Structures are given as structure tokens and as C-alpha cells.
Amino acid sequence: MNLKNTLLSKAISKVVITAAIAVSLSSAAFSAEQTLIKNVKIWDGTASKLSKTQDVLIEGELIKAIGTGLKVAADVEVIDGQGKTMIPGLIDMHAHLCLQEGMLVGRDAYDQMAMGARTAHSLVEYLDQGFTTARDVGCNVLGIAKAVNNGLLIGPRIYPAGGFLSQTGGHADTGSFNDMPGRIDDLERHGFGYIVDGKTEIRRAARQNLRSGATHIKLMAGGGVASEFDPIHTTQFSVEEFETAVEVAKDYGTYVTVHAYHDRSVNRAIDAGVRVIEHNFLASEKTIKRMKKEGVALSAQAVMSLEAFANPESITFFSADQKAKAKSVNAGATQMFKWALKHDLLIVTGGDMFGPAYNGRQADNMVWMKTVGATPLQIMKMGTSSAAEVLGWSGGMNPYKYGALGVIKKGAYADLILVDGNPLKNINVLNEYKTKFKLIIKNGQVHKNTL
Ligand SMILES: [Zn+2]
């Protein structure tokens, strides 16, 4: 395990990748290997305080036992947790793992080989920050997710949407002004998404994603900030187009999530059976009450809405129009978050952060929730057990259904972090992952150990 830890902490190089594959494959062959982590205080993903000091036994990819004075065979690896805090591995619910330098850079500056190499770096960056799971809500990630599951790439568990679905002129239409209807968009050529209009095209794209391992379907339901042809006020896709996507998702036992900012988009999507709203920053209190009543989850991006969009001049790749759109979103975000907390919505968080300046700040997206009044306990649940609840909505398409995620309990997947500090008292500790995260384990395998 120490060898693997050493490998993973280095930048990816040909030698490291080759060795990492060897380690990954060999560890798969001995999946019943045990590790005992002694002397830790546990935050289990839901409780309001830490447990007393306990031991945690990992066997293979799962937590086998939690208790005091656990006995193991002499040859089992024992890690002294030194009284530190064990928390579940973090879950980012709005990633675009292949677009970490921005959608247009991804479209124009790299071919798919280079994008794949860049994505391999992103995966390690996520794990380094304690994110052992990422829900990817749109990009060419289905093959990447498969490669992680097969041990060819080191990275978090991925719940991929595959390419997002956008109407002509919608949030993911990244074509040029002179494009004709029905053309192959650059975005489609790169596998980031599909431009689809009408029920047949929506069915085909949704089924194409699901056949290749998508765990849910993502549609663009309204205007966006980082796109050229869709003013923020627009509503995208008809009710019957949404219903078509929802029907396909239900037939596969999973759900649809949508990018939406304002009431008209959000309510139309909910009318059709959509279960998760991404962003929601311009929604009214009435709409938020409806979301609570009908069990619709909110996937919120605190850094982008509260920090970056407050100062869009800092986003170097935005045009003047994109900067103006960002400001209008910022204006609604604080109020929306307060209503969402007041009405106890099921809130999950995900960065949706692009650009090198944000690549190391996935946890800051959780930390920023304190600026709108969320308590550390609420924030920690958003990034662990609440996130796992939404991931569970993937039903039969869930690739990780043999243990629970987002919790520390017997039978859960062994995805965990040992923190030097207590995030329930000081949520900022998540941002100090480089020094404060002493141990990071994903699927029973040590990614980092500086104890
Ligand atoms: Zn996004």
C-alpha cells in the first residue's frame, strides 16, 4: 500500500501509469485483503457529533467491522489513526471531469487523446482533495468511467451522465453563428454532448448514453452563463421532450437531472418528472416549496454562484455578455440558498468549476455554503450522505451497489478520510486537505498516507 501511495502522489508519467496499473490489477486479485485502522473518532455521515474512539476494519472494498479492540491476524496491516477524525470520502455532485479547463478550450485546443490525458490528471486531483466519488453531469466521460472501474486509471468513482442533451441554440450548443440546422456540432464531434430536437432525437441520445454506462441523463432546460446562443431567461425543451427523456430514464431505472436557473425552466422540468435541479439560482420561494413537497433535489454550486459570479472579471475566458449573465445569477443565488435551507430541501453540492484557478478547490464549494448560513453538519451531509441518497436514484444503473456510499458503517464501501481536525467544528479544514488529510482510502485502497 505504501508503494501505491507513493505512486499516486506523483504526477502522472509513463512510468507511474505503468506501475499503477500493475498495483491496481494485483490488488484486485487479493480483494479480501484486510486493513485495520485503530484509534479514530468517527463522523459517520449523519450524526451531529463524533463517536468515541474506535477501530475500523476494512476487508477488500468494504468496511467489515467497527468497534473497540478489534482483533486481526498477525499479518494484517494495522494503521494507527492517532485519535484523528474519520469521515466518509467526499462526493462532488456536479463535475465535468473532461472539461476542467473550460468547455471552449476543451472544444478547440485539444484532440480527444490530449483531453483524455488531461482528464487523467483531473481524476488524481479529485482524489487528492478527498473526493472519492464524482457525479459527472456532462462530457465525454463514459470511457473514462469504464477505465477507472477496470483499474486502468486512478480516480474517484464516477457516476457519469455521458454527453449532455441540449436543444438547438440551447446551453450546450457551442456551434458558430453560420451553422445550419441539423449539422454535427463541434461539441458532438468531441463527445461532450448532443444537440437534439424532438422526441426521436432525445430518445436516441439518451439511450446511446445509457447503453454505454450513463447512470442518469442530463438535459439543459434553460439559459446559461458560459454559452453564446441562449440568454439566461430562455426556457429550453418542451414538456413532451422532457417527458421523453424521463420515460427513457425510468425504463432504465434511473432519473433525469437538468441545468436550470429560473422558475419557468425548473417547473416545466418538474412537471415532466425530473428529479434533480442543477443551479436553480433564480428560482422563487414558491418553486423551492414545490421542490420540497415533491422530493426534488437541489444540486448547488456555491463557489461559482457566490464567489466567481460576484466578480466575473476574474473569469478570463468569459465574454462581456457572459460576465453580465454571471452577475445576474449571483444576485439571485444568496436568496435562493437561504430559502432552500429554510425549507429543508435535499441539497447536494458540486463544483461545476472550470479553469486552472479552480482545479484544486473542489472542497471550497462546500465550505462556501457557510456564507449563506449552512451549518458545518449540514454542509458535511451535503457532500456525503445526502449526495449518496441522490446517487442511489440511479437504481439499476448504479455501478456501485454492493455497499453504501457517503457513510462510515459496517458494509459500506471503504471510502474514507482521516482528518487532523474536526470538520463539524471547523469546516475550513476541508480546504487544508494537503496538510490535514492524513489518510485517504478509496475502495479499500490507500491513496494517501502521511500518518
Ligand atoms: Zn455544469
Side-chain angles (χ1 to χ4, degrees):
M1 283 189 171
N2 286 337
L3 170 62
K4 187 170 184 194
N5 176 35
T6 307
L7 292 171
L8 291 170
S9 65
K10 291 180 178 172
I12 291 181
S13 68
K14 188 178 173 190
V15 174
V16 172
I17 288 175
T18 306
I21 290 169
V23 170
S24 177
L25 294 178
S26 68
S27 54
F30 301 100
S31 59
E33 184 183 335
Q34 290 189 337
T35 304
L36 180 65
I37 306 172
K38 298 184 73 161
N39 188 23
V40 294
K41 296 186 178 78
I42 299 169
W43 180 65
D44 65 1
T46 59
S48 59
K49 59 181 185 181
L50 307 185
S51 73
K52 61 186 187 329
T53 303
Q54 290 182 296
D55 305 338
V56 175
L57 177 63
I58 296 170
E59 183 175 278
E61 61 188 17
L62 301 176
I63 294 173
K64 184 177 173 62
I66 298 174
T68 49
L70 297 180
K71 297 274 181 276
V72 289
D75 60 345
V76 167
E77 180 173 5
V78 177
I79 297 173
D80 181 0
Q82 301 171 15
K84 307 215 181 301
T85 307
M86 179 180 287
I87 64 172
L90 302 174
I91 303 173
D92 187 287
M93 291 294 280
H94 192 120
H96 299 280
L97 294 164
C98 343
L99 294 171
Q100 290 292 292
E101 295 188 41
M103 197 147 80
L104 301 186
V105 173
R107 184 193 67 185
D108 299 337
Y110 297 112
D111 63 12
Q112 283 300 297
M113 294 290 283
M115 286 300 290
R118 176 66 182 85
T119 304
H121 282 276
S122 301
L123 299 178
V124 175
E125 285 167 0
Y126 266 69
L127 274 185
D128 288 346
Q129 295 169 71
F131 284 86
T132 50
T133 300
R135 187 179 66 138
D136 191 294
V137 288
C139 74
N140 189 358
V141 77
L142 295 170
I144 294 282
K146 191 174 172 183
V148 170
N149 289 338
N150 289 342
L152 293 172
L153 286 174
I154 304 299
R157 302 173 192 279
I158 302 174
Y159 283 78
F164 24 58
L165 277 60
S166 170
Q167 69 171 49
T168 295
H171 180 50
D173 183 343
T174 65
S176 69
F177 178 78
N178 288 316
D179 286 338
M180 297 299 286
R183 86 286 180 192
I184 300 294
D185 189 85
D186 278 344
L187 169 139
E188 293 184 273
R189 211 167 13 243
H190 285 66
F192 298 158
Y194 297 92
I195 305 300
V196 286
D197 296 281
K199 296 197 282 186
T200 300
E201 291 183 7
I202 285 173
R203 261 196 208 102
R204 184 180 296 129
R207 288 173 179 162
Q208 181 68 29
N209 278 329
L210 290 163
R211 86 183 267 280
S212 304
T215 58
H216 60 286
I217 297 297
K218 162 81 175 296
L219 272 72
M220 302 302 191
V225 174
S227 46
E228 187 177 353
F229 301 115
D230 60 327
I232 200 96
H233 70 275
T234 59
T235 305
Q236 297 167 16
F237 286 127
S238 66
V239 174
E240 72 170 11
E241 286 173 316
F242 280 127
E243 285 173 345
T244 302
V246 168
E247 182 185 41
V248 173
K250 277 189 179 166
D251 286 348
Y252 275 79
T254 183
Y255 68 94
V256 173
T257 187
V258 296
H259 158 110
Y261 280 100
H262 54 70
D263 281 347
R264 196 158 186 267
S265 290
V266 173
N267 284 296
R268 182 180 288 183
I270 298 173
D271 287 346
V274 166
R275 298 195 68 187
V276 186
I277 306 295
E278 312 290 325
H279 315 310
N280 208 43
F281 297 126
L282 303 177
S284 66
E285 185 172 19
K286 187 176 168 200
T287 295
I288 284 163
K289 283 184 185 169
R290 181 186 180 192
M291 290 171 70
K292 173 67 181 176
K293 192 162 166 236
E294 300 187 27
V296 176
L298 165 66
S299 170
Q301 296 70 44
V303 165
M304 290 316 282
S305 64
L306 300 173
E307 185 206 53
F309 288 178
N311 180 24
E313 299 304 323
S314 65
I315 306 175
T316 52
F317 54 84
F318 270 12
S319 67
D321 187 48
Q322 287 168 333
K323 287 172 183 171
K325 286 199 276 190
K327 275 188 182 149
S328 77
V329 167
N330 172 256
T334 301
Q335 179 62 72
M336 190 283 293
F337 277 125
K338 290 191 169 163
W339 283 328
L341 289 165
K342 174 181 161 192
H343 294 294
D344 191 29
L345 271 193
L346 177 55
I347 306 174
V348 299
T349 67
D352 201 19
M353 294 189 277
F354 304 103
Y358 296 101
N359 289 163
R361 294 185 55 196
Q362 300 306 330
D364 207 13
N365 185 62
M366 293 170 64
V367 172
W368 262 83
M369 291 297 295
K370 72 182 181 183
T371 67
V372 291
T375 65
L377 176 62
Q378 285 174 316
I379 295 170
M380 288 301 292
K381 286 165 79 172
M382 290 174 197
T384 55
S385 55
S386 294
E389 182 177 345
V390 173
L391 293 176
W393 295 352
S394 287
M397 300 307 286
N398 184 354
Y400 311 109
K401 44 179 167 294
Y402 304 109
L405 286 173
V407 290
I408 304 284
K409 67 174 188 183
K410 184 182 174 188
Y413 280 114
D415 290 8
L416 51 91
I417 308 169
L418 271 198
V419 184
D420 185 9
N422 179 358
L424 297 183
K425 293 255 167 68
N426 175 20
I427 195 72
N428 293 341
V429 75
L430 299 185
N431 279 339
E432 298 170 57
Y433 62 89
K434 283 182 186 165
T435 55
K436 302 289 190 183
F437 288 9
K438 299 295 185 187
L439 178 72
I440 300 173
I441 290 182
K442 178 217 155 189
N443 205 39
Q445 297 290 313
V446 174
H447 173 67
K448 173 184 179 179
N449 182 0
T450 58
L451 284 164

